[in-house]
């Protein structure tokens, strides 16, 4: 009989291709990682890896596919069993970006802890793409995302439409310069000859949407400063390094922003919502949390 702990160690080792890193991720000793692999090879009576250099054997590749499927199915099953049993002890895992969690989840989490004191909340700080992967694998029970495409095995529920704003001084001046020609002198708000747009990296869904809409700004040639989160976009724009293109809901009044906010009605709207697995059983705790989150959704603040 194959032990699930051995399979989990094997799957992790196959992904990391390093005994020491596997031990660290699984909070084990390196000799125990080797022992799990040895026990797995003895039970299956086949060699599963070559060590120098590290690679899976043909048998190892075959076992990896089955082990990944088995572990994921068990994870999904356990999550559904917890929901069916109306879990009042344990952990509820949420995947969301930092800006979504700070602006939308703090008050719902406070309400959740009061009503469900026996359930711990685990928050994964992720991009929307990473959140989808965590929910698919049942490592997260719930994900909050922007621009999610409906796809198996996930179900997306929209909470609100997302519109876009430009945060930062100088946008109107840059647009005027582009309309009048390159010889128009810059104003004190614009630094250097080229405007700087502060955008998310190319590995995000929102960047794909933004890139398609940037020509509508009618700017002169510009530079792009890439950062890793909407929070970073806001901070760099507030510090005067350029103009950030961000979701309107992220510009919450409590941030006390001082830079100019320009609504961008010509940019395509997208959706903010939550994802769960198709046919996922939702516990009373998850349903109540989603109710509190829906109450927290604010109207888009537009300031100029």
């Amino acid at each position: 009989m194959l032990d699930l702990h051995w399979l989990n160690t094997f799957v992790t080792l196959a992904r990391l291709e390093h005994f020491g890193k596997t031990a660290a991720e699984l909070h084990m000793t390196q000799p125990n990682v080797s022992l799990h692999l040895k026990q797995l090879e003895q039970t299956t009576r086949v060699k599963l890896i070559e060590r120098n250099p590290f690679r899976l054997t043909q048998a190892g590749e075959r076992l990896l596919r089955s082990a990944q499927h088995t572990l994921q199915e068990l994870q999904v099953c356990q999550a559904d069993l917890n929901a069916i049993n109306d879990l009042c002890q344990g952990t509820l895992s949420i995947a969301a970006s930092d800006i979504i969690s700070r602006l939308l989840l703090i008050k719902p989490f406070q309400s959740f802890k009061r009503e469900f004191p026996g359930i711990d909340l685990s928050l994964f700080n992720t991009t929307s793409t990473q959140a989808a992967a965590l929910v698919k694998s049942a490592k997260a029970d719930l994900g909050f995302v922007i621009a999610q495409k409906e796809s198996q095995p996930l179900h997306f529920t929209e909470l609100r439409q997302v519109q876009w704003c430009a945060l930062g001084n100088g946008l109107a001046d840059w647009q005027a310069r582009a309309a009048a020609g390159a010889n128009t002198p810059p104003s004190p708000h614009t630094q250097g000859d080229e405007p700087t747009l502060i955008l998310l990296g190319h590995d995000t869904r929102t960047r794909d949407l933004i890139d398609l809409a940037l020509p509508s700004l009618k700017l002169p040639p510009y530079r792009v400063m890439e950062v890793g989160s909407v929070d970073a976009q806001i901070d760099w724009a507030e510090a005067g390094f350029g103009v950030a293109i961000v979701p309107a809901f992220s510009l919450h009044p409590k941030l006390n922003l001082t830079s100019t906010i320009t609504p961008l009605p010509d940019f395509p709207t997208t959706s903010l919502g939550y994802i769960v697995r198709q046919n996922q059983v939702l516990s009373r705790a998850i349903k109540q949390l989603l109710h509190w989150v829906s109450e927290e959704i604010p109207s888009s603040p537009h300031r100029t």
Side-chain angles (χ1 to χ4, degrees):
M1 180 68 69
L2 299 183
D3 187 286
L4 291 177
H5 292 94
W6 304 346
L7 290 176
N8 187 51
T9 301
F10 173 66
V11 168
T12 307
L13 180 61
R15 173 168 53 85
L16 298 177
E17 299 184 351
H18 192 279
F19 282 80
K21 292 179 181 178
T22 300
E25 180 165 316
L26 297 178
H27 305 290
M28 299 168 58
T29 64
Q30 191 165 324
N32 272 342
V33 173
S34 298
L35 178 60
H36 280 194
L37 179 64
K38 180 180 179 181
Q39 290 169 320
L40 195 55
E41 289 183 326
Q42 288 177 340
T43 302
T44 58
R45 292 178 290 187
V46 292
K47 189 172 186 178
L48 298 172
I49 71 164
E50 299 286 355
R51 293 177 179 252
N52 294 306
F54 185 98
R55 69 175 183 85
L56 295 181
T57 65
Q58 184 178 3
E61 294 280 3
R62 178 63 184 86
L63 178 61
L64 178 62
R65 292 194 296 272
S66 291
Q68 289 172 324
H69 179 74
T70 298
L71 292 173
Q72 180 169 330
E73 283 298 307
L74 286 172
Q75 181 77 25
V76 169
C77 178
Q78 184 62 64
D80 285 343
L81 290 176
N82 290 341
I84 291 170
N85 196 39
D86 205 9
L87 181 69
C88 58
Q89 299 286 332
T91 301
L92 178 61
S93 297
I94 313 291
S97 69
D98 189 59
I99 195 71
I100 291 176
S101 61
R102 287 196 298 111
L103 295 183
L104 299 183
L105 299 184
I106 290 178
K107 287 179 64 177
F109 275 20
Q110 290 173 331
S111 300
F112 186 93
K113 292 303 294 180
R114 287 193 294 269
E115 182 153 339
F116 302 97
I119 302 178
D120 293 325
L121 287 168
S122 176
L123 183 62
F124 295 104
N125 184 7
T126 66
T127 65
S128 293
T129 300
Q130 292 167 338
L134 288 168
V135 174
K136 282 181 183 178
S137 65
K139 293 179 181 177
D141 301 292
L142 182 65
F144 291 91
V145 300
I146 293 176
Q148 171 69 28
K149 296 179 180 178
E150 188 73 41
S151 62
Q152 297 283 353
L154 297 177
H155 177 71
F156 174 73
T157 300
E158 181 184 283
L159 292 171
R160 64 163 301 152
Q161 283 285 299
V162 175
Q163 296 176 320
W164 303 94
C165 283
L167 173 68
N169 301 320
L171 179 63
D173 183 69
W174 290 333
Q175 291 171 324
R177 284 173 53 200
N183 294 327
T184 305
S187 77
H189 286 311
T190 56
Q191 300 179 6
D193 294 328
E194 294 181 342
T196 297
L197 294 183
I198 305 170
L199 305 176
L200 292 177
H202 276 93
D203 59 342
T204 60
R205 292 175 181 166
T206 52
R207 178 62 183 276
D208 293 338
L209 297 172
I210 293 300
D211 281 347
L212 293 174
L214 288 178
S216 68
L217 292 179
K218 296 182 172 59
L219 293 175
Y222 56 83
R223 296 184 294 263
V224 172
M225 177 181 179
E226 291 192 350
V227 297
S229 68
V230 175
D231 306 86
Q233 287 182 277
I234 293 171
D235 289 342
W236 285 106
E238 280 285 276
F241 283 86
V243 171
I245 310 299
V246 296
F249 78 85
S250 68
L251 304 182
H252 197 281
K254 70 182 180 183
L255 297 178
N256 298 317
L257 302 174
T258 59
S259 301
T260 301
I261 298 174
T262 306
L264 300 175
D266 293 334
F267 273 47
T269 59
T270 186
S271 299
L272 164 66
Y274 66 87
I275 50 174
V276 294
R277 298 183 308 281
Q278 291 281 7
N279 303 316
Q280 178 177 339
V281 179
L282 298 184
S283 65
R284 183 174 70 89
I286 290 180
K287 291 177 180 178
Q288 183 61 63
L289 178 63
L290 289 172
H291 173 72
W292 284 319
V293 170
S294 66
E295 291 183 334
E296 190 68 10
I297 298 291
S299 59
S300 298
H302 285 172
R303 296 188 296 142
T304 58

